[in-house]
Amino acid sequence: MNILDFNKLSLRDINKTLQGSDKNSFFSIRNPKGSHALAVGINKQITVKVVGSVGYYFAGMNKLSDIKVEGSAGPGLGENMMSGNIHVTGDVSQYAGASGHGGSILVEGNASSRCGISMKGVDIIVKGNVGHMSAFMAQKGNLVIFGNAGHALGDSIYEANIYVAGEVASLGADCIEKKMTKKHLSNLENILSNANVSDYNPDTFRRFGSARSLYNFNVDNAKIY
Amino acid sequence: MKKKSITEPRTSHTFDAYTNSEIRRAAETGIYDIRGGGSKRNLPNFDDLLFLGASISRYPLEGYRESCNTKVILGDRFSSNPLNLEIPITIAGMSFGALSAQAKEALGRGASLVGTSTTTGDGGMTKEERGHSKQLVYQLLPSRYGMNPDDLRKADAIEIVVGQGAKPGGGGMLLGQKINDRVAEMRTLPKGIDQRSPCRHPDWTGPDDMEIKILELREITGWKVPIFVKVAGSRPYYDVALAAKSGADVVVVDGMQGGTAATQEVFIENVGMPTLACVRPAVRALQELGLHRKVQLIISGGIRNGADVAKALALGADAVSIGSAALIALGDNDPRYQKDYEKLGTKAGSFDDWHEGLDPAGITTQDKKLSKRLDPKLGGRRLANYLNVMTMEAQTIARACGKNDLRNLEPEDLCALTVESAAMAGVPLAGTNWIPGT
């Protein structure tokens, strides 16, 4: 295990080390002090554990890496990630998983507003609640919410799936509740199984997705836009 | 019997023929007009400025003997590998999706032939474009369609798009007709549906956030490539200052004559400021921060010829960017397609339904048959010729003003033809010392 200590190294030093490391390397980052843009742009299968909380855009645009934060994360966690895993034991701020193309994010606490905005294939699991406008314009992937969802969930959603075990304050434009089919239940179980989440009752989840009524402009829908 | 006097039928300036036709169209269809291109209004523009030329007080350089530098370096504030351009004219961001793959390839070929850069657009980077562009700027747009860190690392510069002159505060639009299999796959959306690009980035809200976003991009790319920030010409003084403060290497200001693939006509014609009015506030913002020439300024929106280039640089820009003019050089709205334009209910010079994907010139289309009309090699050659002509025109003017570098042109080389343009450009009304507003 390689220890990277912010008390001794700069952000550039740490990111350069992570980005240039060999496959299957293991790093432990100490004293992150809420630093922004940490562990970004990694495109190798490495394991990183961060002891403490991190700032904006943690693990942004990563591929293949397996990253755990023992703490909380600031806005834009895992933005535009392509593959790999991110696990946060605490809470996360706005825009978690924004436009993520693939991989998986597991948040043990709560996620703030716009969780999964513009998501394009990433799977996001939030054990707590999510804020308003989550999954806004979500294109592809899955957002699994164990707690409650804020207002305008799934506004203008495309082909992503949303699974919610708690209450939904309100749905956004063109987002509707859909039947939980066997196929979708299996999808939910696979997502959670891949993230090593087993403490749940699948029967408590409801599924939401696009009504697809806004896919092509129709003047009769003008008041909805 | 008294003869009845006859008066000419009187038409209204308020309800002119176009306005009346638009009212009828709205009444029939129930939807606003959507089109491509930039503002078609008669706006104050660079034609309202004139160069004074040298005389006794200043002496000129010999037109065919003495050199006049056109090279410019973009992005040497923080990046280790800035762009080294042979000419101060770049190709603006235009998406694959809005444009055919052939058009994107032609833009890359033409730009590379003369040693300048071209720019991706919404929808990501195509291999044709990367392969044929020696210096390629990769746009980070609100939609993040096709955004890929591997492509980001292949780019020679990154341009964060905050706004576009044709639609400040508005998002993009690509209607379902142009969403074929390849475009749909690149954008992770179903084929045939309308694609609405958001007006805001998904993961920040203001300049403090943008500063951290720039940090993230630099950390991903190892602080090697320049970071551009593109803003629409609406509040250039504040936006340029904030972009520079956020850590941009280069700021692009796009005036309202700048084109778009498609948006509402009412937006194009009624939101934003003329390019002419954007330059001096943008330059002033950089000067007050002590960053003029350190953070390079690119001006775009309706640049057409070498005189426009020279005037933008004289007002303080480091380079210009062209989009619509580059498409015209490739063959957009060419009279040789007049019969095809007439079939679409328009004429050469007026065709702007780029969003419908039926472009006879094969540029703003994804139709296989139509797009084959554009030969990328020939198109690239035409663009290179045009860029060379613009550069020589700008050099001609600069030499006449006694300048051995295009960027040595200055506001004192200019006068204005109208009170409005004098105020906007901050140069004296011709024949006077009067600069309105100072």
Side-chain angles (χ1 to χ4, degrees), chain A residues 76-93:
Chain A
L77 170 80
E79 67 89 17
N80 215 93
M81 68 183 285
M82 305 300 286
S83 61
N85 302 294
I86 302 172
H87 178 182
V88 178
T89 62
D91 300 319
V92 301
S93 187

Side-chain angles (χ1 to χ4, degrees), chain A residues 12 15 19 36 41 56-57 60-61 63 79-80 82 95 99 101 120 137 139 158 215-217 219, chain B residues 30-31 143-145 147 149-150 153 187-189 192 194 196 202-205 209 212-213 216 219 223:
Chain A
R12 184 82 283 267
N15 279 334
Q19 291 162 358
H36 307 314
Y56 276 65
Y57 309 128
M61 297 201 200
K63 291 171 71 178
E79 67 89 17
N80 215 93
M82 305 300 286
Y95 340 118
S99 65
H101 284 69
K120 295 173 171 60
M137 294 183 85
Q139 296 173 222
Y158 291 100
Y215 275 15
N216 292 95
F217 187 84
V219 68
Chain B
I31 185 172
S143 73
R144 308 287 166 87
Y145 290 142
M147 182 66 211
D150 291 334
R153 281 183 282 263
R187 299 179 181 223
T188 326
L189 281 170
D194 297 345
R196 297 169 191 282
D203 53 358
W204 89 72
T205 50
D209 294 357
I212 305 170
K213 173 55 72 177
E216 183 202 10
E219 285 294 321
W223 292 74

